[in-house]
Each structure stands twice: as structure tokens, then as C-alpha cells.
Amino acid sequence: VTEATSTVITESLVNITDEETVASDLRVDVTAQPTHGIIVDTSSMSVLSSFLVSELNAGNVSYLHDGTHTSTDTMGMSVHDNSAADPSVILASGAVNIDITTTDDQTVVVVNPILIVEANVTVVDSSLVNITDEETVASDLRVNVADAPVNGKIVNTSTNVEISSFLVSELNAGEVSYEHDGTHTASDSLNITVHDVSDGADSNVILASETVSVIITTTDDATVLTISGNVLVTEATSTVITESLVNITD
């Protein structure tokens, strides 16, 4: 079976015969449900704890995998004769091994805008950039800042040192921040790519990419007046009052 799908358990996979008992009288009890899936009715997909061999032979019994990244599973079963005086007597028992073909699950990146006040620093955590991969732990997922912000930078929360990459485990722990540069700008953005550092030679393969928006609340900066000296002028003449003498900025 392929991961997260179902497959019919046919007579060719589990063959049960008894020369003295017809298939419709032979009952199979699931003594141990699979760990990574369930035994179900092929049509209704309802869970089965028992079924008749005639139902098995007709293709009415299936195994449904639970979608976890697992390669093997097993189920236990016992066979009984419903027509016997004591149908609880076990005629045969055994285990059915299940081989699962795993699939490469996608890395999921969900982003929300970073909200910050001009000239401040804010933590970028999993509530803003949430990165998950069912097959890879957070400490093996590396995030590269492919395109850095124009009006700020990504820094380590503790050291305030600019960083160009970080682990998802560091992101989740609040160790990544965005620092605005103080310019009178209302927005910014950065592009990120996600990689699996446990992949060895393939650790630079991009698993996912996303753009993170930054919304900046601007502040009303004070107007600054700087007078550098006296205006010097000869009687009955004029002189230019330059920026070097009277400087006004906002």
C-alpha cells in the first residue's frame, strides 16, 4: 500500500481454506489492529473487527493507512467456524505483514505579516512564520534568507547580530527577530527558502519558499532646526542664508 491510501486485501494476499467448511461460515477476527492503519469495509470504509472469508474473497476487506511516514505494519487474526457448536474455537491464527511505500510529504510554510513600529525590533516566531514537515524535525530544517529586507534586517534575538540563515527550531524558540532601520517606511519584505540539512549532498535543495511581508507603523518624527552660526553681511548688501547656516530636517 502507498502511504495515506487504502488497498484491498484479496484472496491472493490472505488465502484461507477449509475442506470441511464453506467460506461463508469461516469468520476471521482481527485480534490485533494495525498500528499505522485500520482494517475497513472496502465500500463503506467502516472499521472491521471481524469478517467472513467469503467477504475477504469478494474484495470487501481493505487496509487503510493512517498517513504517517511509516514503511511497515502488521495485523493479527484468528479463524473460527461460525457453524460449529463453539464458534469461539480458534481454527488457525497468524499475522499479516504490510509493506508501505512512503511518499515525500511537502514542507508546509504558513506566513502572517510581521507588524512593527518604526525603528523597533520584534521577534519573528512560529505564529508569524510556521514551517512544518512531517518527515523532518525542526532542528534539521534550515531557513535561508534568500532576499534580505530593504528597510531592516533579520537578527539573532539575543545577540542582535544579523543572520542570513537559521533553523526552524531556533525560529520556534523565538531566537529570530526583524529589526527596522528607522527610516520613514511603511512596508518591507523578505524571501525565505527551506532546506533539509540532514539530506547531506541534497541539503541545498529547496523544499519550500515564501515571501514574508512586514507592515511598519510609522512615527511622527520631530522637525529638527540647526543654526550653525550668525549670518554675516556687509552694510547695504545682501547675503545668501545657506543650509550650512540654517538646517531644517524632518
Side-chain angles (χ1 to χ4, degrees):
V1 63
T2 300
E3 179 183 320
T5 65
S6 65
T7 189
V8 176
I9 303 174
T10 62
E11 183 180 2
S12 63
L13 296 173
V14 179
N15 186 263
I16 302 171
T17 57
D18 189 315
E19 291 185 1
E20 301 174 359
T21 312
V22 294
S24 58
D25 281 339
L26 288 172
R27 184 186 79 250
V28 180
D29 287 349
V30 181
T31 56
Q33 281 283 355
T35 304
H36 305 298
I38 51 176
I39 303 303
V40 297
D41 178 275
T42 302
S43 299
S44 67
M45 299 305 283
S46 56
V47 180
L48 297 176
S49 58
S50 67
F51 50 86
L52 299 176
V53 170
S54 57
E55 294 174 323
L56 174 73
N57 296 346
N60 295 332
V61 180
S62 292
Y63 168 84
L64 174 63
H65 185 245
D66 63 6
T68 55
H69 198 62
T70 45
S71 58
T72 60
D73 206 354
T74 186
M75 62 170 282
M77 64 179 192
S78 60
V79 183
H80 309 261
D81 183 357
N82 276 346
S83 66
D86 186 358
S88 66
V89 173
I90 297 175
L91 305 179
S93 63
V96 180
N97 295 319
I98 301 163
D99 292 328
I100 303 160
T101 302
T102 58
T103 58
D104 189 8
D105 297 326
Q106 287 188 330
T107 301
V108 179
V109 181
V110 179
V111 299
N112 290 303
I114 299 171
L115 306 178
I116 188 171
V117 176
E118 179 184 318
N120 276 268
V121 181
T122 191
V123 173
V124 181
D125 58 18
S126 58
S127 67
L128 298 174
V129 180
N130 187 266
I131 301 172
T132 56
D133 190 315
E134 290 187 2
E135 300 171 7
T136 311
V137 295
S139 57
D140 281 340
L141 289 173
R142 183 185 77 243
V143 180
N144 286 353
V145 182
D147 295 303
V150 175
N151 304 312
K153 57 186 178 181
I154 301 301
V155 299
N156 178 278
T157 302
S158 301
T159 65
N160 210 43
V161 174
E162 185 173 6
I163 53 178
S164 58
S165 67
F166 50 86
L167 299 176
V168 171
S169 55
E170 295 173 323
L171 172 75
N172 295 345
E175 296 174 15
V176 179
S177 291
Y178 169 84
E179 179 182 343
H180 185 243
D181 62 7
T183 55
H184 200 63
T185 45
S187 64
D188 204 356
S189 66
L190 62 142
N191 293 322
I192 60 173
T193 57
V194 184
H195 311 260
D196 184 353
V197 297
S198 67
D199 270 353
D202 293 328
S203 61
N204 287 323
V205 172
I206 297 175
L207 304 179
S209 62
E210 193 58 78
T211 298
V212 183
S213 299
V214 183
I215 299 175
I216 304 157
T217 301
T218 57
T219 57
D220 188 8
D221 301 323
T223 302
V224 179
L225 170 63
T226 304
I227 300 175
S228 301
N230 297 327
V231 177
L232 302 177
V233 60
T234 301
E235 180 182 324
T237 65
S238 66
T239 190
V240 176
I241 302 174
T242 63
E243 182 182 359
S244 62
L245 294 172
V246 180
N247 185 261
I248 302 171
T249 58
D250 190 322

